[in-house]
Amino acid sequence: MVVPNISLNNEEVCPALALGTWLSKPGEVEEAVKYAIDIGYRHIDCAWLYGNEKEIGNAIRAKLADETVHRNELFITTKLWNTFHEEEEVVEACKRSLKNFGLCYVDLYLVHWPCAQKNLGKVDFNLPFKDAVNIPYDFVKTWRGMERCVELKLAKSIGLSNFNSKQVQRILDNCKIKPVMNQIEVNPYFNNKQLIKFCKERQLAIQGYSPLGSPARPWIKPGDPVVDLKTPEVEGIGKKYGKTGPQVILRYVYQLGVIPIPKSSNFERLKQNIDIFDFELSEEDMAVMDSLNINVRACHAEELKDSPDYPFKENEF
Ligand SMILES: NC(=O)C1=CN([C@@H]2O[C@H](COP(=O)(O)OP(=O)(O)OC[C@H]3O[C@@H](n4cnc5c(N)ncnc54)[C@H](OP(=O)(O)O)[C@@H]3O)[C@@H](O)[C@H]2O)C=CC1
Ligand SMILES: O=C1CO[C@H](CO)[C@@H](O)[C@@H]1O
């Protein structure tokens, strides 16, 4: 399956669907990424926090070595974790991710959250930090470090993740190098249309995380809404096109103008999730999908709630 490219505001191009890797286990993720590249995935979404950059790097380098792909056909995204927001820390953090991957550059480096944190315990660069506290730190200064990553050619493009509209605007008003992307939650229960529109009007592309509603998120509680991949509306639409519920959902996200980032480590589901570029949902189908929106997030980041830069405030978008 060939994934179409979209153009970014700095004239780089980016494949319109990415493979998610959060909760992709060491021991599974390497094979999943190799298989994904074999069947046409060209965009891999990673993060220092996910603790699996090394395995993902092994898979990428294996696929470069066996000439399945050339480096310039791949688009690797990774993210700066909250504990490395200090301006002087950013380049070093980016270099640590590159070392994990065994690559000389990433295609896109994102600020994972607008919220800065400080680690209380001993710094162990091999582990995501579980004991960090929120601290005030101006993310415009963090952005200077991100710009330095482009100047040093460690990242081809830089962008944001989980920034709300005001925070995006603040970066745009104070940057030398514009962000090309905001990675935000987009799925049928939280379609995030207002922020998508806001970003697109300012030439930022959107990567949509948790497109299937993140059914395996660890903080899920009994009674929390879980996107129903087999709901009659979604399956009904799927039947018309010979597609499954998850394929209809991913296509919906794509037709919202968003790059979906479905995660899977399962070969059959990896195949299914990329097979969404040979059909088009009608306006009526899109309206049915829109009607599922209940404005409930899968990822609300409780642990960041007391940060001065917590992005998900009521009555803001
Ligand atoms: N910037 C940010 O703050 C965030 C970024 N992300 C990024 O977005 C990616 C995707 O989001 P994520 O929260 O993982 O959730 P998704 O919405 O992608 O759901 C992934 C889950 O759905 C299952 N699944 C995948 N495909 C199918 C299918 N076709 N049918 C049935 N079940 C399926 C997977 O299981 P299995 O593996 O067994 O197939 C997995 O449990 C992340 O992996 C990460 O890269 C996510 C959250 C926050
Ligand atoms: O990408 C992500 C996955 O889950 C994390 C929580 O552990 C989030 O903070 C983060 O944004």
Side-chain angles (χ1 to χ4, degrees):
M1 177 61 62
V2 176
V3 176
N5 279 327
I6 62 149
S7 295
L8 302 176
N9 66 16
N10 61 356
E11 297 183 1
E12 295 290 336
V13 291
C14 169
L17 178 129
L19 172 66
T21 62
W22 173 45
L23 303 180
S24 293
K25 295 188 195 76
E28 267 177 32
V29 65
E30 205 166 314
E31 287 314 307
V33 172
K34 282 194 216 157
Y35 180 73
I37 293 175
D38 281 340
I39 63 170
Y41 286 78
R42 293 293 176 266
H43 182 173
I44 322 279
D45 182 69
C46 314
W48 185 85
L49 177 76
Y50 304 161
N52 53 14
E53 287 177 328
K54 281 187 187 156
E55 290 81 359
I56 294 170
N58 291 343
I60 292 169
R61 284 182 285 99
K63 287 290 127 190
L64 295 174
D66 75 7
E67 299 189 353
T68 305
V69 278
H70 293 292
R71 178 66 187 89
N72 62 8
E73 296 169 294
L74 287 177
F75 193 97
I76 310 301
T77 298
T78 199
K79 311 187 192 89
L80 174 79
W81 187 236
N82 306 345
T83 46
F84 307 126
H85 270 215
E86 274 182 46
E87 186 173 346
E88 304 70 32
E89 280 275 344
V90 178
V91 163
E92 289 314 307
C94 185
K95 285 184 180 165
R96 279 195 295 274
S97 284
L98 290 174
K99 192 169 172 215
N100 280 344
F101 289 126
L103 297 175
C104 352
Y105 69 90
V106 284
D107 297 273
L108 178 61
Y109 198 40
L110 301 177
V111 183
H112 204 143
W113 288 90
C115 313
Q117 294 184 300
K118 187 176 164 50
N119 185 50
L120 289 178
K122 183 175 157 293
V123 177
D124 177 351
F125 291 117
N126 294 312
L127 289 171
F129 301 143
K130 298 280 178 214
D131 62 346
V133 291
N134 297 312
I135 52 162
Y137 189 79
D138 186 355
F139 55 67
V140 168
K141 288 196 205 153
T142 307
W143 192 251
R144 303 257 172 280
M146 298 293 283
E147 292 174 329
R148 192 79 192 117
C149 293
V150 176
E151 288 158 2
L152 293 170
K153 300 194 181 338
L154 305 174
K156 285 206 169 181
S157 306
I158 47 177
L160 311 169
S161 174
N162 294 303
F163 277 54
N164 66 26
S165 56
K166 280 192 186 154
Q167 294 168 328
V168 170
Q169 191 60 53
R170 181 138 189 278
I171 292 285
L172 288 172
D173 292 342
N174 291 283
C175 66
K176 256 193 321 193
I177 302 176
K178 281 190 184 163
V180 300
M181 188 76 72
N182 194 11
Q183 182 177 125
I184 56 178
E185 179 167 343
V186 183
N187 57 52
Y189 282 2
F190 192 80
N191 67 24
N192 225 336
K193 278 192 172 183
Q194 235 185 328
L195 184 54
I196 295 171
K197 181 165 180 283
F198 180 92
C199 290
K200 293 207 150 221
E201 283 168 355
R202 287 155 183 80
Q203 283 77 51
L204 274 81
I206 302 290
Q207 292 164 323
Y209 72 64
S210 306
L212 301 170
S214 200
R217 59 194 190 271
W219 49 84
I220 206 158
K221 291 194 294 291
D224 280 355
V226 179
V227 174
D228 183 356
L229 303 175
K230 292 180 191 277
T231 192
E233 289 96 328
V234 176
E235 285 217 319
I237 293 172
K239 278 206 184 95
K240 287 201 282 185
Y241 303 99
K243 295 288 173 181
T244 63
Q247 288 173 320
V248 170
I249 292 173
L250 295 173
R251 181 74 201 187
Y252 167 67
V253 172
Y254 173 65
Q255 286 185 216
L256 290 176
V258 170
I259 300 162
I261 319 177
K263 175 267 171 184
S264 185
S265 303
N266 171 281
F267 285 11
E268 197 282 319
R269 291 192 282 278
L270 282 167
K271 229 189 310 173
Q272 209 188 110
N273 294 348
I274 197 179
D275 187 15
I276 61 158
F277 296 104
D278 59 353
F279 74 114
E280 188 168 346
L281 299 176
S282 65
E283 258 180 54
E284 298 79 58
D285 298 330
M286 288 297 284
V288 172
M289 295 302 293
D290 280 345
S291 74
L292 301 176
N293 185 52
I294 50 170
N295 273 331
V296 174
R297 293 177 192 274
C299 282
H300 29 71
E302 287 293 324
E303 68 282 8
L304 300 176
K305 271 204 166 142
D306 67 358
S307 160
D309 295 305
Y310 183 67
F312 308 147
K313 304 217 170 95
E314 249 181 80
N315 304 321
E316 288 189 10
F317 69 93

